[in-house]
Each structure stands twice: as C-alpha cells, then as structure tokens.
Amino acid sequence: MSRTLEENLIGRRVLITGAARGIGAGLARRLHERGALVGLLGIEPELLEQTATACGRAPWQYCDIRDRQAVEDSIDRLADQLGGLDTVVANAGVMPPLEIVGGDPEAMRHAVDVNVMGTYHTLRAGGRHIGHRDGYALVVASSTAFSPLRGVHGAVRGGAQELGEALRGELKPLGAKVGIARLGEIDTDRTLIEFDGTASPTTRHSAQARTSSITAAVDALERGIAGRRNRINAQSRVPGTGSVRMLALRATGMTRTIGQRSHASVHVSGRREREQFA
C-alpha cells in the first residue's frame, strides 16, 4: 500500500537554509505540521527564533553560508541535535544585478558567493549526513534561466542547479537522491519589497500582483521532499510574469538600486550584512 504525503514526512529530519523568512520559513512550518523534525539556518536571529518557536522550538543556528567552516559546524551541530539528517534543503539565495554592462560587479560577486559557493558549502557539509537510503538533498534553483531579462539571475541560480546535478551522481551509489526545484516569481519579500527596503505598492493590474503565492511554492517543495523527487516546479501564475516584472522594474528605475541595497539588512556582531533569502 502506498504511503500518503503526511506519512512520508512523519519523523523526517530536515535541515533548511534561509529559514528566517519567505519560502524557507513557510516550508519549515509546513513540514513541522506534517510531523517532520526541522533544523533551521539563517542570518536573522530574531526571525529564526520566531520560526523555530512556531516549529515546536526547533533547533536553529545563525550561519552565513558564505563561510565554509561556519556551515560545516552549524550543520554538524543541528544534525547532532536532530539525531541525524534525512533531508537538506539548500534554499538560501540573493538577487544579483540584472545587467552586465551596467551592473555592479561587487553585487554580482556577492550573489555568486551566496547562491553558488553558499550552495556548494551547504551540499558539501550536508552530503556527509544524507548518504543513506532515505537521504535527500533539495536545491532551490530558478525557472528563469532562459529569460533574457533574468539571464544574470539564471546564471547564478543555474550554477546552484548544476551543483545539485553533480551531487546526484555522487550520492546515487549510497541510495540518496537529489532534487532540483525550479521556482518562478513567488510572493516573497524579494518580489514584494522595493530593492531599497521600502514597501512596494502592488496594484491589481501590476506584474507583481500576478506572481504565484508563497503557498504554491511550499506545496510543491513539500510534495517533492515527501516523494524525494528529482524535479520540482512551481511556475508563476501567469506565463511570462517574470519578464513583464523585469520590464516594469527597469521602467521605474528600481534596478539602479539593486546592488547591495537589494538585500535585507541585519545587524550582526557590530557589522551590517545585507542578504535576503528566498
């Protein structure tokens, strides 16, 4: 007899990066409701603690995924607290500049450090814990790799996707699986907050209003984790929404501030880190 989605998630030990807000926080809450045990990583301690409290006081760690040693230490610590790991969700990511010629090289380097190297650190450290028959790694990538207006975003998220493909081959002999989630425009802070951190007015007929709800993304990721699927898709509600939205951003001049100001600001140990997680 086939198991239900809920039955497949009961007792599943899941680590999620970028779990302070957005998709990461929503997924953590959903999996907790299904009976999974979750461990949370992120760079916003107050929000992480709130998410952890909503997940039955789940263990959490402040962790900048650009720091390899911090990632290894944090994942090892959470794995110990959870009694091992079955699933690692590499969800953390930032929005790179949209342009090449007119883009900010430092913002692009930051995006590569987070989206590519951060995913690499996460999969490398997490892979040591999920090398078993129930093991599963999920890389949250993008469905915009072939959109000309999102090409730079697709490049850094595409790099994360290729890391997942490589890990799949490494873990296959151990019985573990790797999934790639390709998400369209989702209603997270990244799509509904201006790039300078101020609220973005959303009208009924705006491109932003036509993005998919965060619930659609969480639903898709939940099914993917339960079935340890190779491919997971959660497209925008309206085809081409991403391209329309990028045109709107260019028209309003918002892209001029998409450098480091595109990331949520959090104060840590006397310095200000600017990152935003999906």
Side-chain angles (χ1 to χ4, degrees), residues 95-221:
M95 180 73 77
L98 300 181
E99 300 174 330
I100 295 177
V101 176
D104 181 348
E106 290 305 312
M108 183 64 182
R109 181 182 297 277
H110 178 75
V112 171
D113 286 344
V114 175
N115 294 7
V116 180
M117 291 308 299
T119 298
Y120 171 81
H121 297 325
T122 300
L123 297 180
R124 184 175 184 274
R128 298 196 295 262
H129 295 279
I130 59 172
H132 53 82
R133 291 183 60 83
D134 294 323
Y136 182 64
L138 175 58
V139 178
V140 179
S142 171
S143 63
T144 59
F146 300 106
S147 169
L149 291 178
R150 296 297 298 275
V152 179
H153 177 58
V156 292
R157 279 302 202 180
Q161 175 174 320
E162 290 305 312
L163 289 172
E165 298 285 2
L167 183 66
R168 177 177 292 143
E170 292 184 36
L171 295 183
K172 185 176 181 180
L174 303 176
K177 295 184 178 181
V178 176
I180 308 295
R182 307 189 68 182
L183 307 182
E185 288 292 322
I186 305 297
D187 288 348
T188 66
D189 299 52
R190 188 170 58 197
T191 59
L192 296 182
I193 292 182
E194 297 262 6
F195 298 121
D196 60 3
T198 59
S200 174
T202 302
T203 64
R204 177 180 176 184
H205 300 290
S206 72
Q208 291 175 344
R210 295 194 294 273
T211 56
S212 293
S213 71
I214 192 172
T215 302
V218 171
D219 287 347
L221 296 179

Side-chain angles (χ1 to χ4, degrees), residues 248-260:
L249 294 180
R250 289 175 185 272
T252 58
M254 288 165 59
T255 55
R256 289 195 299 269
T257 60
I258 198 172
Q260 296 297 336

